[in-house]
Amino acid sequence: FENDPWPEKSGAQLVRFLRPRLEAALKAEDDFELINVFHRHGPYADRLYAGTELLLNVADAHRRLGFPVESARLFQSLVRDPKAEKVHETALMGLAHSYMEQKDMRAARAVFERYRLQFPTGRFSGEALRGILTSFEGEGNLAALLKLGQQWLAHNPRHPDRTMVQLKVAGVLAQSKQDAEAAAIYDGLIKAGRELSAGDLLRYADVLARLNRQAPALAMYKEALVAGL
């Protein structure tokens, strides 16, 4: 009924009774209980907590427990809510990762790109850059990954995320059998004392083997084996 105060009043009563349990579950880091209590509010639970950091935490709990469709819906509601501006930065990243977990790389990349435009010096800027590169990789668009990575490296000679981007670029070069270029990056990282994952070490070893650098290739295979244990 129009102007019926009951829905608003009943919602307020639900929040009064259930919010302490939500906050207790959040404090206990109990994602199952957090989601369970949240959905006891009914189908419009997100409206009752619109724009709050608590809703952000509920969305993230859905993502951690493997419900990326629902987490994306909740993150979207926060991103679209002008009253939730203080959590927009974190909500954008949560939304992007929710899309990635649904294997929707194009949508994920769009959100990561939006983040970098909206928060160019944000606290998740490195994570967003990694997300864009990973999204290109997931789409199979290695040419775009390589172009973006190389351009970024040319303009950021001392950035703290440089190693991460170099490894992404080297991986693409190795995959496309541009071994000399890939080896140059891997060699530089090793000389600089950067720690490589087992996967990166294996790719480096494959590159060295194809370049007939047999002794260092064997050493890298051994390192990759040890790192993977």
Side-chain angles (χ1 to χ4, degrees):
F1 298 98
E2 190 176 354
N3 300 320
D4 182 2
W6 171 243
E8 183 178 348
K9 287 185 177 180
S10 62
Q13 283 289 85
L14 279 171
V15 170
R16 187 165 69 88
F17 285 116
L18 293 177
R19 183 165 187 152
R21 290 184 59 186
L22 275 177
E23 292 173 341
L26 180 62
K27 186 176 181 180
E29 299 182 353
D30 187 341
D31 286 344
F32 286 102
E33 177 69 4
L34 185 64
I35 288 177
N36 180 44
V37 175
F38 176 74
H39 287 288
R40 289 190 182 186
H41 290 75
Y44 304 110
D46 54 311
R47 298 183 188 179
L48 299 176
Y49 294 94
T52 66
E53 193 167 345
L54 187 53
L55 184 60
L56 178 72
N57 287 312
V58 169
D60 208 31
H62 279 83
R63 189 173 69 84
R64 286 193 297 269
L65 288 179
F67 300 105
V69 175
E70 179 65 7
S71 69
R73 186 184 72 81
L74 295 174
F75 282 127
Q76 278 182 334
S77 73
L78 288 163
V79 169
R80 292 171 177 168
D81 186 351
K83 296 179 181 178
E85 186 177 357
K86 66 179 181 180
V87 299
H88 279 180
E89 184 178 2
T90 307
L92 275 172
M93 293 302 294
L95 178 58
H97 284 298
S98 295
Y99 283 138
M100 289 192 80
E101 286 160 18
Q102 295 176 63
K103 308 301 181 186
D104 191 343
M105 296 301 178
R106 188 176 296 247
R109 177 166 54 82
V111 179
F112 283 128
E113 288 172 348
R114 175 179 171 181
Y115 176 91
R116 285 183 61 80
L117 289 172
Q118 192 169 338
F119 301 99
T121 59
R123 54 196 171 116
F124 304 116
S125 58
E127 187 178 341
L129 175 62
R130 183 195 298 270
I132 294 170
L133 296 173
T134 302
S135 298
F136 275 135
E137 191 174 12
E139 291 177 66
N141 194 346
L142 300 184
L145 191 164
L146 189 60
K147 181 178 179 181
L148 174 62
Q150 289 176 328
Q151 288 179 344
W152 187 91
L153 289 170
H155 289 88
N156 295 274
R158 294 181 181 83
H159 198 280
D161 295 316
R162 188 173 173 82
T163 298
M164 176 269 291
V165 179
Q166 285 177 300
L167 287 171
K168 285 286 189 184
V169 169
V172 172
L173 290 170
Q175 190 172 337
S176 57
K177 302 298 188 293
Q178 298 179 59
D179 295 324
E181 294 91 335
I185 295 175
Y186 286 127
D187 288 344
L189 290 170
I190 292 293
K191 288 177 183 176
R194 301 291 186 264
E195 186 173 341
L196 274 60
S197 69
D200 288 318
L201 289 168
L202 185 59
R203 281 185 283 273
Y204 183 24
D206 288 341
V207 165
L208 293 172
R210 288 196 296 268
L211 290 171
N212 292 317
R213 294 169 58 182
Q214 301 303 333
L218 182 59
M220 283 303 121
Y221 281 126
K222 289 179 178 177
E223 282 195 38
L225 182 61
V226 172
L229 294 178

